[in-house]
Amino acid sequence: MSRLATILGSVLGRAPLALAPFLLSLALAACQGANLTEKGPPAQTHPAVVAPPPPAVTEAPLENAPPAENATTPPGLPAGTKVALLLPLSGPNAGLGQALLNAAQLALFDLGDANFELLPGDTKGTAEGAAQAAQAAIGQGAKLILGPFFSAEVGAVAPVAQAAGINVVAFSTDEHVAGHGVFLIGFLPRSQVARVVAYAHAQGLNRFAAVVPDTVYGQTIADLLRQAASNAGAEVTDVELYDPAAKDAADTVRQLAKNSGNFDAVMLPEGGERLIALAPLLPYYDIDTTKIRLLGTGQWDDPHVWREPALLGGWYPAPDPAVRADFEKHYTQLYGSAPPRIATLGYDATALAAVLAKSAGGPNFSAEALTNPDGFAGLDGIFRFRADGLNERGLAILEIQRTGPHVISPAPASFVGE
């Protein structure tokens, strides 16, 4: 049997909606002969912070709904494996925290059993709140921490977890907080930049430029672009920085346009309204985007920006959207609104913990288990953790077309050979 630890391979017979056929294909590829029909009662939830799901709908029968608020471990069963989930459940980011918790509940129902217990903790969106939530969860017997989300919170939780000898799987993308028992499951810029540059170079693009904010993030993207171009045998000919506090980036794009004969592609590592304001400036200042390819990061994976005409033909790296489509549909049916893009991280992190809790010989949340070189497969495709706490992901390349983004280079199905 392959060593690939397929997170979602155990949910057959319980997967919501149309997920089961996809999960079966993962399971057959990775775990021939594995038990793929394991079932168990829904795991215990936290009544203080978990809102009950709305009534089940036609496409989601009652037996496929997540556990109710008052779900408890059936009498007679031993105390379960406890895993903490630290999120901002109050304060200005409470909506994001609740969405991640909702997704985690879906994973619990799909993969958890009566011996798996999730302990949600409210970080209040602060470092102090995160440290207190971590201490409380460890006091309740948590053997692994999922979350928090913000880098300052992760930095505060790390020494608490390290002192207790447990690992952390955090949602942050700040590489500075990784390592020493902290593993980042978020979408890291380095994987995104490396993937889109390698693909662009394979299509004959050899000279890259970028327009980035004059911030730590922008400088990081510029450095990653230079590294990825060098690795691919290409070069970066121009990097223009703009003041993120300025009204617009017109002067910066005008400067870029003076050198437009020196590059084949331009990276715009922005998202949302900033990207929508920035992209049209390139053709306005005579940068021909029918000949010069626009490249993005995962921040482009947003329906709001796909309608911007200046981005047509642009390429960006992201997980295959078809894989998470059923999750998004099911989530919307149960909770009454579409999940934010990163909600899948809440599902995959909880699913990872639930699978490792069923390891042969008992729950195994060790660094060795987390850094399995064959990796894991989740709603956002394959991923694996490195010893330094960073992750590598198998990403697709999407092109923005008039009907929306289309996959033009599929995500890899495994890390075999890498």
Side-chain angles (χ1 to χ4, degrees):
M1 184 176 80
S2 167
R3 293 175 59 225
L4 180 64
T6 307
I7 287 179
L8 304 177
S10 302
V11 305
L12 298 182
R14 300 206 301 166
L17 300 174
L19 282 176
F22 166 70
L23 302 181
L24 178 60
S25 68
L26 281 179
L28 291 179
C31 296
Q32 294 289 344
N35 175 14
L36 305 179
T37 57
E38 186 171 5
K39 289 190 176 185
Q44 185 176 2
T45 61
H46 192 292
V49 296
V50 180
V57 294
T58 303
E59 293 84 349
L62 184 60
E63 64 267 22
N64 281 352
E69 269 192 352
N70 60 354
T72 57
T73 302
L77 288 173
T81 300
K82 296 179 179 180
V83 170
L85 177 62
L86 307 186
L87 298 168
L89 297 170
S90 62
N93 295 293
L96 175 64
Q98 186 63 53
L100 287 163
L101 181 54
N102 291 344
Q105 285 186 276
L106 294 178
L108 271 179
F109 184 68
D110 287 342
L111 280 150
D113 59 27
N115 293 320
F116 184 87
E117 185 176 354
L118 197 64
L119 304 176
D122 183 9
T123 68
K124 302 179 177 64
T126 68
E128 181 181 4
Q132 292 173 348
Q135 290 168 343
I138 292 170
Q140 295 176 63
K143 301 303 181 186
L144 176 71
I145 292 176
L146 307 179
F149 185 81
F150 300 106
S151 60
E153 297 177 328
V154 179
V157 165
V160 177
Q162 190 174 12
I166 66 176
N167 290 315
V168 177
V169 176
F171 301 119
S172 174
T173 60
D174 184 352
E175 297 186 4
H176 296 93
V177 297
H180 304 290
V182 175
F183 299 87
L184 303 184
I185 197 172
F187 300 108
L188 302 182
R190 69 172 56 237
S191 295
Q192 300 168 36
V193 173
R195 174 69 167 107
V196 73
V197 168
Y199 176 77
H201 181 256
Q203 308 312 305
L205 306 183
N206 297 302
R207 299 172 301 165
F208 295 84
V211 179
V212 302
D214 191 5
T215 61
V216 172
Y217 168 74
Q219 295 284 3
T220 298
I221 292 293
D223 290 342
L224 292 172
L225 177 61
R226 295 185 183 99
Q227 179 181 335
S230 177
N231 291 343
E235 63 178 327
V236 175
T237 60
D238 195 357
V239 173
E240 299 292 339
L241 304 174
Y242 64 87
D243 181 355
K247 182 179 179 180
D248 60 45
D251 291 342
T252 303
V253 175
R254 188 184 297 113
Q255 182 62 36
L256 178 73
K258 294 178 181 179
N259 303 316
S260 60
N262 295 330
F263 49 81
D264 309 311
V266 179
M267 174 161 285
L268 304 177
E270 288 281 16
E273 295 299 331
R274 175 69 73 173
L275 176 62
I276 291 173
L278 178 61
L281 293 174
L282 276 71
Y284 182 82
Y285 287 109
D286 298 324
I287 296 175
D288 189 350
T289 54
T290 64
K291 297 179 180 178
I292 296 175
R293 186 74 60 174
L294 297 187
L295 307 177
T297 64
Q299 292 196 60
W300 286 28
D301 201 22
D302 174 3
H304 184 56
V305 306
W306 299 337
R307 295 187 292 271
E308 171 50 53
L311 293 174
L312 284 175
W315 297 338
Y316 70 92
D320 188 332
V323 175
R324 66 177 187 268
D326 289 307
F327 162 80
E328 292 176 340
K329 179 181 178 182
H330 191 51
Y331 181 106
T332 301
Q333 291 171 334
L334 287 172
Y335 296 110
S337 62
R341 174 63 193 87
I342 64 169
T344 47
L345 295 178
Y347 187 103
D348 282 356
T350 305
L352 168 63
V355 166
L356 294 180
K358 300 175 185 178
S359 300
N364 185 359
F365 304 128
S366 66
E368 181 180 6
L370 289 167
T371 56
N372 181 337
D374 288 332
F376 309 93
L379 293 177
D380 286 314
I382 61 170
F383 66 95
R384 63 183 175 186
F385 296 116
R386 303 185 338 188
D388 61 5
L390 304 181
N391 72 60
E392 297 173 351
R393 287 187 173 273
L395 300 171
I397 296 294
L398 290 85
E399 179 178 282
I400 296 180
Q401 301 176 5
R402 296 192 182 278
T403 55
H406 291 259
V407 174
I408 57 173
S409 177
S414 77
F415 289 110
V416 173
E418 295 193 12

